Amino acid sequence: MDEVLMDQIMYVVHQTVSWIASAAIIFGGVVPYIPQYRDIRRTQNAEGFSTYVCLVLLVANILRILFRFGRYFETPLLWQSIIMIITMLIMLNLCTNVRMVTELNTKRRSFTATDSKDEDIKVPKRLFLDFDWSHFWFWSHFVDYLQCVLAFTVLATYVTYLLLESVLFVETLGFLAVFTEAMLGTPQLYCNYQNKSTEGMSIKMVLMWTSGDTFKTGYFLLTQAPMQFWICGLLQVCVDVAILFQVYYYSLYPQKPSHTTHTTSAKAL
């Protein structure tokens, strides 16, 4: 009787821990962006946050969802990708709105350059993909980001549909998904280097990146996820640590960037 009761208790405990771990995997990746989102809204300044972080996560999670059609992985990881895509779109919407307020007199940049009747906004008529590479991922309206993401999703889905039977393609797709995500912190690392400062970047966000990536890598190992997942998870932790070192270094040795560097860093957002 005691053994049966103990088995039931252990089963309940195991299920509870499993549910908590799954919830942490699904929503844990979103939490680091809450303080960054609040900082941007409070200061109405998105300069310290690189929106290329959003690009990296959008690409990585779209590829990961497609990878699941060729090779099964845990359902919480699938939901994590869906939640993360929604979160990155919300972040992009905020950053775009903030830029529109601070750059009212600048020329409108768009992904699908079309004619405009507005005299203050003159954009020449172009083809759908005929956009200015110098302003890639630095457009003036949120809808342009949506169109870009949609175009990438359709193209990637079509290629995956054609090559889904190829084991090499599926494994390469999985590697690209996790490797792209592993490069998550790289745009922020580069943005901080250009600015010679971490001002405007939420340190809480990076600390949560580090703890979340460490937990996630351990989760990959415990659940025996595909090898690509935990190898790139370790790489992601290394990038997080490098950003934390920047926080320490630039606080200890503050450097005032030149005007040229400042302008370049703003474009890198």
Side-chain angles (χ1 to χ4, degrees):
M1 185 69 178
D2 290 341
E3 291 183 2
V4 174
L5 180 61
M6 183 59 67
D7 288 341
Q8 290 177 344
I9 293 175
M10 291 303 296
Y11 175 77
V12 172
V13 171
H14 180 270
Q15 287 295 106
T16 303
V17 172
S18 179
W19 289 338
I20 293 174
S22 296
I25 284 294
I26 294 172
F27 299 104
V30 174
V31 175
Y33 299 96
I34 295 176
Q36 184 67 71
Y37 183 91
R38 294 178 63 185
D39 286 349
I40 294 174
R41 286 200 63 177
R42 177 175 54 83
T43 62
Q44 288 298 297
N45 184 359
E47 185 175 338
F49 175 71
S50 174
T51 52
Y52 280 107
V53 169
C54 300
L55 174 62
V56 168
L57 281 175
L58 285 168
V59 171
N61 285 282
I62 290 170
L63 292 179
R64 183 195 285 181
I65 292 174
L66 294 176
F67 175 59
R68 196 173 192 265
F69 288 100
R71 184 172 178 183
Y72 177 83
F73 55 77
E74 294 291 319
T75 301
L77 295 177
L78 174 63
W79 280 106
Q80 181 198 51
S81 294
I82 296 172
I83 298 296
M84 185 59 72
I85 289 172
I86 295 172
T87 302
M88 290 303 100
L89 291 176
I90 292 173
M91 288 294 296
L92 279 174
N93 186 41
L94 174 65
C95 292
T96 305
N97 290 338
V98 168
R99 286 205 194 101
M100 287 181 67
V101 173
T102 58
E103 299 179 357
L104 291 176
N105 296 323
T106 60
K107 176 182 176 182
R108 181 182 184 274
R109 294 176 290 274
S110 64
F111 177 63
T112 58
T114 56
D115 286 331
S116 174
K117 295 180 180 179
D118 192 335
E119 295 181 357
D120 297 328
I121 302 175
K122 298 180 180 180
V123 181
K125 185 176 182 179
R126 300 173 184 172
L127 298 176
F128 180 72
L129 295 177
D130 187 17
F131 55 87
D132 190 346
W133 280 105
S134 63
H135 294 306
F136 177 76
W137 209 251
F138 194 65
W139 302 305
S140 303
H141 291 271
F142 176 63
V143 66
D144 298 306
Y145 292 95
L146 283 178
Q147 290 168 343
C148 181
V149 171
L150 180 61
F152 172 78
T153 303
V154 170
L155 178 61
T157 301
Y158 180 68
V159 173
T160 302
Y161 174 76
L162 293 178
L163 302 175
L164 193 59
E165 298 300 322
S166 171
V167 176
L168 177 61
F169 172 78
V170 172
E171 292 300 323
T172 302
L173 184 65
F175 175 77
L176 287 176
V178 292
F179 181 75
T180 303
E181 186 176 1
M183 294 294 102
L184 161 66
T186 306
Q188 191 64 56
L189 188 74
Y190 182 66
C191 181
N192 294 341
Y193 172 75
Q194 280 194 312
N195 291 338
K196 304 299 181 185
S197 169
T198 57
E199 185 178 354
M201 180 197 72
S202 172
I203 299 177
K204 292 179 182 178
M205 177 185 71
V206 182
L207 289 172
M208 291 179 183
W209 275 357
T210 308
S211 58
D213 292 338
T214 302
F215 172 80
K216 181 173 63 177
T217 303
Y219 180 84
F220 290 157
L221 291 170
L222 291 175
T223 58
Q224 297 181 342
M227 182 177 64
Q228 302 101 314
F229 281 55
W230 61 264
I231 289 179
C232 290
L234 290 173
L235 179 59
Q236 202 166 350
V237 172
C238 292
V239 175
D240 296 340
V241 172
I243 297 176
L244 289 175
F245 176 76
Q246 283 184 322
V247 174
Y248 168 77
Y249 180 82
Y250 289 130
S251 63
L252 199 62
Y253 305 102
Q255 302 176 42
K256 185 177 181 180
S258 63
H259 177 73
T260 304
T261 304
H262 181 79
T263 303
T264 305
S265 66
K267 288 184 178 181
L269 295 173

